[in-house]
Each structure stands twice: as C-alpha cells, then as structure tokens.
Amino acid sequence: MKRRTGLWMMMLALVLVFTACSSGGGSSTTAPSSAPSPGGESSAPSEEPPKQLSLKIGLPGSYEVTKKEIIDKFIETHPHITVEIEEAPWGDFVSKIATQIAGNTMPDVWFQENATILGYGKRGVAEDLKPYIERDLDASEYIDALFAAGTLEGNVWGIPHGINSVALAYNKSAFEAAGVDLPTDDWTYADLIEAAKQLTVKEGKDTKQFGFIGSSSITTGWFPWIKQAGGMVLDDTKTKSMLDDPKTLEGLNQLRQGIEEGYFTNGDYIKANGGELEVFATGKSPLYMMQYSQQVAMNTNFPDTDWDVVKVPKAVDGKRYVPMVTNSWLVSSRASDDSKEAAWQFLKFYLGDEAQTILAESGASLPVKQSAYSVIDNSTTKPLNKKGFTEGVSEGGTTLDENASWAEWRLLVQQEVNEAIVHRNKSVEDALASAHKSVQQVLDENQ
C-alpha cells in the first residue's frame, strides 16, 4: 500500500512541475502566438530576418541610361541584398556580355535591346518571368508594353527598362510663318504629305525649307510608312516576310516620292545642316517623327524653339500604329535560385511606384506603370502636349516586329531600304523583292 501511495505522489509532483513550466511569464513551444505578454498586451512573434542574398546588376551605358537614384534607393530599401554593379559604355558592355554568356559569368540581371532579349530567351539564357509577374504584380496597373518581350507561346523573357515611343513633332513658328494650320490628332498620312508640300519653300532650284524630315531609319522611317499604308514587314506570327505585299510597296514608294520630289528632306541635307534635331529646331523642316527621348536634347540644346507634338497620324485603315522601342531587363536563367529571387526583387522594385516615378521625371523614357503617368501629365517642359506620346502609345503602340532573329533580318531590310531610299540605286520594288527573299531565308533558318 505504501508503494502505491508513493507512486501516486511522484506522478502528482510531475504534473505540478509541468503545470508550473507552462504558466505565468515562462516560455513554452506550445503557447499560442497571441498569448498575452506580461504587460497584458498581445505580442506577435518576431519575424525571421530576410535571407541574405547577393545580386550582380549589369548596366550598359552606365548611369547615363539607368538613373543612379533608382539603384541607390533599391540598395537602401533592400539591405539584405548585397549588390554589385557591373557597368560599361553600351558598346563595350554588349561585346563583354557575349563573352560572359559563353563563359557563364554574366550578371544576374541586365538589360539590352528587346529583340536581343527575345533571342536570349530562345537560346535559354533568359529566365521566363511570367510566373514572377503572375505571383507578384497586377498586370492591369501597367500599360500593354509590360509584355513587349512576350512570345506567342506565353513566355515573358524580360520587362521594359523604359518605352521610347514616337509622336509627330511640329515647329509652330514655321507653321505660322507659312500660314498652314497646325497638325491635330485627327491627321492622316495624306494630311501630313499635303502639309509638307505647303510648308516646302524653294528659291530657284534650291530648297530653303523642306516640309518633313524624311528618315530612312526603321523607327521613324520605313517601318511606320509601311504600316500606315496597310502593309506589313512580318506576319502576326513573326515567321513570314510580308515585304512582297503590294501595300508594303505602296508605303515605301510614298516615302521615296516625298524625297525625290523635294518636300521631304534627304540624308545629304540632314548631314549638311547639323542633324535632324538641328534641322527641325531651326525650322528648316517643320515636321518630324520624334522619339520621346529626344525631348531632353531639344529642351537642352534648343530651349527657345516653339514646338509641340501630336499623335502619330492615322493609317489608311483609320488605326494608329505608333512605333515604340524598348530596352528590356532580363534575369539570367543560369543564376542560382537565390540570385534569381534577388534579381526579381530588383525588377519588382523597378516596376514599383517610386522607381517608375523617377523614370517618368527623367524625361528619357516613358514608364510602364500607369500611376507614373500623372508626373508626365503635370509636366510643364516642352512638349506641352505630352499626351501625343502617352496616349499615342496607349492607343497604338507596336514593337518593330521584333523576334529572336530581328537583329539579323532588320539589317538586311535596312541595306535594301538604303539602296532604294537613300542612294536611289534601285527601285523600291526591286529592293523589296530582294529583301523579301533574304528575310524569309533568315526566318526559316530560325524556326
């Protein structure tokens, strides 16, 4: 009997010990996280500090292209990420990155031309960012250009560093002197051609003033002229050349005709008179397809010029096709999982309100987040009608038919355009026939 009583006493003692350990101010692994603190208030458990990560960011063009303020703020607000910056002039960076990719020593995140990023995606160099975007972003808060590096298959190989769209710039003083009505958003390309003829001023055989700057470049020259006539460079799948389309021929012929008949500038005149901005700013050619980034140089170098912009004119189908150039950030698919996450944290910051506002204030690029457009709408620098750019790209923004082989086929088209438009050694028809054949060969080889 005594032995049984002693056993019960030992069990009771153990119960009292465990009860004491789980009450009062003591700690217990089984206590709920909302248990009252000694002061009578609920105390949430302390969060674990974020994992320490490292990140190498590549900056082609250095801080002349990417605002240092954005990088500094990211470093300041993400102390758990150790950041290394790899910067170089654009040309040097492009050469270096090719070697680094071959040696698997490239940065974790960097940016280049959008078409180059598409090529990296096809080669397996770029990480697909679609899962990250779906996880962390609300796509409705961004303009469609967020997916400029997207593919028909649904991959997203990069996100925009910034958008450089086109609008129709006009020199007000030259228009007023000529007594020609100022452009409007309702203009078509036919209106542009007619105004260019009215604005052209000849003195004998010499032309004192050309109506429009006739560019031979892809962004402000042959691409929009083809699109406005209803033509195409590539089909919607970006696998078939459409350079043999009669409407494509018609668009380029309009550009060549304007140069031949002297109401569009030619390349020699532009070179002899200091470049396109100089010619436009001084009124020697009052109409100009201007890229958004050029406003900075206009305001710096020609502050007294009275100018503004309207949207790119409408095409024959009544739609608007606004060429936009994007450099795009990519994340290296070969980075470690931790570095990929750190790279995405940087891109998410870059796409956030603070960084996008800084980008908008710079005037060098359009942001992709819609909330940042209020900065542009309230800007008082020229052009005052910045909606010519912002609403234009929102209405009809289009990339330059970019695909993984863009860099290769674009050069082939440019060579033929130069022969037909710049040097006029070939007819437009012959040039396009040659370009069509060589471009299709490139497209087939890259299927």
Side-chain angles (χ1 to χ4, degrees), residues 171-182 195 198-201 209 286:
N171 186 310
K172 289 184 180 181
S173 300
F175 266 81
E176 291 169 359
V180 177
D181 291 339
L182 297 178
Q198 295 179 39
L199 290 163
T200 298
V201 178
Q209 177 177 294

Side-chain angles (χ1 to χ4, degrees), residues 97-385:
I97 200 70
T99 302
Q100 290 179 321
I101 291 172
N104 205 30
T105 59
M106 60 279 203
D108 303 310
V109 60
W110 76 94
F111 69 94
Q112 283 183 258
E113 297 93 340
N114 196 53
T116 302
I117 302 307
L118 294 173
Y120 287 153
K122 186 173 182 179
R123 290 165 52 192
V125 175
E127 181 82 354
D128 183 7
L129 299 181
K130 184 179 179 180
Y132 297 86
I133 292 172
E134 291 178 341
R135 184 188 76 185
D136 290 341
L137 299 181
D138 180 355
S140 67
E141 296 179 354
Y142 298 86
I143 64 174
D144 291 342
L146 175 67
F147 298 101
T151 69
L152 292 174
E153 295 74 27
N155 308 107
V156 182
W157 299 126
I159 60 100
H161 182 277
I163 307 298
N164 196 6
S165 66
V166 175
L168 180 63
Y170 60 96
N171 186 310
K172 289 184 180 181
S173 300
F175 266 81
E176 291 169 359
V180 177
D181 291 339
L182 297 178
T184 71
D185 289 338
D186 293 325
W187 263 26
T188 65
Y189 275 76
D191 295 320
L192 185 157
I193 291 171
E194 181 58 32
K197 292 177 179 179
Q198 295 179 39
L199 290 163
T200 298
V201 178
K202 293 185 178 291
E203 292 182 348
K205 294 183 178 180
D206 297 327
T207 301
K208 179 181 177 182
Q209 177 177 294
F210 291 85
F212 173 74
I213 294 179
S215 173
S216 61
S217 72
I218 178 172
T219 308
T220 58
W222 52 269
F223 187 87
W225 279 95
I226 286 172
K227 296 289 286 186
Q228 64 84 26
M232 301 173 72
V233 180
L234 304 183
D235 72 347
D236 291 338
T237 68
K238 306 295 187 291
T239 61
K240 299 294 182 183
S241 169
M242 298 297 291
L243 294 170
D244 61 344
D245 189 314
K247 294 178 181 178
T248 299
L249 174 64
E250 181 182 351
L252 272 190
N253 267 327
Q254 286 178 297
L255 176 58
R256 173 161 168 162
Q257 183 178 0
I259 294 172
E260 281 186 327
E261 296 185 6
Y263 48 89
F264 293 177
T265 61
N266 57 59
D268 291 339
Y269 183 84
I270 294 295
K271 290 179 182 178
N273 287 273
E276 292 179 348
L277 281 187
E278 177 83 23
V279 169
F280 171 72
T282 56
K284 294 183 176 68
S285 187
L287 280 170
Y288 179 39
M289 289 288 194
M290 179 182 286
Q291 291 186 264
Y292 183 78
S293 61
Q294 292 177 298
Q295 65 171 316
V296 178
M298 273 295 299
N299 291 328
T300 300
N301 300 324
F302 308 102
D304 298 327
T305 299
D306 189 9
W307 68 285
D308 212 331
V309 301
V310 292
K311 297 175 186 177
V312 167
K314 295 178 181 178
V316 292
D317 61 2
K319 297 180 181 179
R320 215 181 299 274
Y321 299 94
V322 181
M324 61 179 187
V325 177
T326 64
N327 293 320
S328 292
W329 292 101
L330 83 155
V331 174
S332 170
S333 62
R334 302 173 189 172
S336 67
D337 288 343
D338 282 351
S339 292
K340 286 178 183 178
E341 183 60 33
W344 174 248
Q345 292 302 315
F346 169 70
L347 294 186
K348 190 166 67 169
F349 175 81
Y350 193 87
L351 291 170
D353 290 329
E354 186 172 20
Q356 290 287 293
T357 297
I358 294 170
L359 182 64
E361 290 171 344
S362 74
S365 298
L366 290 173
V368 288
K369 191 159 193 186
Q370 294 178 12
S371 60
Y373 278 74
S374 61
V375 173
I376 300 171
D377 292 340
N378 295 326
S379 171
T380 57
T381 62
K382 299 174 189 174
L384 294 180
N385 181 37

